[in-house]
Each structure stands twice: as C-alpha cells, then as structure tokens.
Amino acid sequence: MIFWANKIQPECGTNIGATGTLLIGELVDEKGEIPMPVIGKVKVTGLTVFQTQTPCRNWPMPILRAIVKVRLLNYRATILGEVNKRGQLLLENNRVDVPEAIGLAGGLNELADRSFVKLIRQNGSKLEVHYVNLLQEDFLKSPYYYIHQNDLIIVPPLRQRPYRMYFGQNLSLILSSVFSAIAHSYT
C-alpha cells in the first residue's frame, strides 16, 4: 500500500503509523491512483516508491514539489535463526539495511554465523536465494545490503553450536563423574 503525505492540507485522510506518528494524506485507490489537489488523480500502478516520488517532485507547481512524500506503509521483512527476537519486522522506513534489521531483531546471539546469512527475496514470481557475509566490507556495496519488501533473512548457527550448547555445558558434569568414579575406585 503506497501512501503519500501532504503537510499543507490536514483535511485529507489521516492514518496513525505503527509508532503512533500521525500521517496525513491519501491511500492509493483500487485503480492505482492517488488524488492530488489541483492536478487531479495521478496513476502510480506498477511504480516503486522512489519512481513515484520522481514525477511528483517535478510537477509544475512549486508548492507541491516540495511537500509530496510517498511511503510504503506495510513495509515488512522477516528474520529467523540466531537472533534474539525472531519474527516479522514492520518497518516505517523504506530504506532499511540488513544490519539495521538485525538490530531491530535484538541483534545476533553468540551462536550466529555472521559469514553465511541467507537472504530470500521475491523477484517477480520467482524466489531468489542469496548468501551474504556480514564480516566482509564489500557487503556494504552489495545489491543485497538493503532490504526489499517481504525479504526473509535467516541467520544460521555456527558449526560449533551442538558442541557449545550440549557438550560444553555437560563437560563439567562428565568430568566430575569420571573423577568421582576414579577416586571411588581407589578407596
């Protein structure tokens, strides 16, 4: 759902965002159009948020160019795996990067494999799977640095996870049992 905000005309429709911010403007209708004062209806079907803002900023009326802001209100991503708060993220910003999304999910836990994060992205009718390494600097220039609508991020566990979670915790119990059995056999 695309939403445009117009700060000058508060009589337009209103909506309260997820953080309680008041948004003033109009929703895109079922025909894919937004009503604009003076200009009339503008067709935005098939355009991205950024593509929609470009012609809006170039309209002949200077007052409209300065105030039009197009936002995607139901911008979502899902993050699973070795993060502290798994689940769906409702994002109010249309330009969120992977590290920021991980931060919104409570950060990575100590067993997270930062070098093999899976990003599943829908591109048209196809699903694409990409692996990113958060430890390499060239990730900042990657086309997968920014999240797209409905991306799925899966942070896998380290290979040492079974050892650290199960054997590591029980090592002291095993060693004390073995030493206790050895000490008992000498008495």
Side-chain angles (χ1 to χ4, degrees):
M1 165 182 1
I2 297 176
F3 183 86
W4 71 273
N6 182 337
K7 302 288 186 199
I8 290 183
Q9 292 195 349
E11 66 270 7
C12 293
T14 60
N15 191 2
I16 302 293
T19 59
T21 56
L22 181 64
L23 301 173
I24 302 169
E26 294 290 339
L27 294 174
V28 175
D29 65 17
E30 61 279 348
K31 294 178 184 174
E33 299 174 334
I34 52 174
M36 291 294 298
V38 181
I39 295 173
K41 292 196 174 200
V42 176
K43 190 144 186 94
V44 295
T45 302
L47 300 176
T48 67
V49 172
F50 299 111
Q51 290 170 335
T52 304
Q53 284 184 166
T54 303
C56 292
R57 290 188 175 139
N58 296 330
W59 281 332
M61 297 181 64
I63 193 163
L64 289 176
R65 281 193 303 239
I67 58 167
V68 173
K69 173 127 177 126
V70 179
R71 295 195 57 204
L72 187 64
L73 290 182
N74 56 351
Y75 199 71
R76 301 166 195 250
T78 303
I79 188 160
L80 302 172
E82 299 299 319
V83 292
N84 292 317
K85 293 186 287 186
R86 296 168 198 90
Q88 192 173 68
L89 302 172
L90 295 172
L91 307 167
E92 290 194 12
N93 183 357
N94 297 340
R95 193 110 166 123
V96 176
D97 54 52
V98 171
E100 185 178 356
I102 290 171
L104 292 170
L108 299 172
N109 65 31
E110 64 185 36
L111 300 175
D113 185 355
R114 291 153 174 80
S115 65
F116 205 62
V117 175
K118 184 187 288 189
L119 175 71
I120 300 173
R121 177 170 289 167
Q122 186 168 356
N123 191 357
S125 62
K126 296 189 316 184
L127 288 177
E128 298 176 349
V129 178
H130 307 280
Y131 293 92
V132 295
N133 185 343
L134 300 178
L135 302 174
Q136 291 183 343
E137 289 180 22
D138 62 345
F139 168 62
L140 301 173
K141 298 173 187 167
S142 164
Y144 311 111
Y145 182 69
Y146 287 103
I147 291 179
H148 292 188
Q149 170 76 339
N150 294 323
D151 274 358
L152 172 61
I153 301 168
I154 301 173
V155 182
L158 290 168
R159 289 183 185 165
Q160 301 90 342
R161 182 178 188 219
Y163 169 78
R164 291 183 72 186
M165 285 198 67
Y166 306 112
F167 185 70
Q169 292 176 353
N170 296 325
L171 182 61
S172 62
L173 178 62
I174 293 168
L175 289 177
S176 65
S177 298
V178 169
F179 289 131
S180 178
I182 292 172
H184 187 6
S185 66
Y186 285 116
T187 57

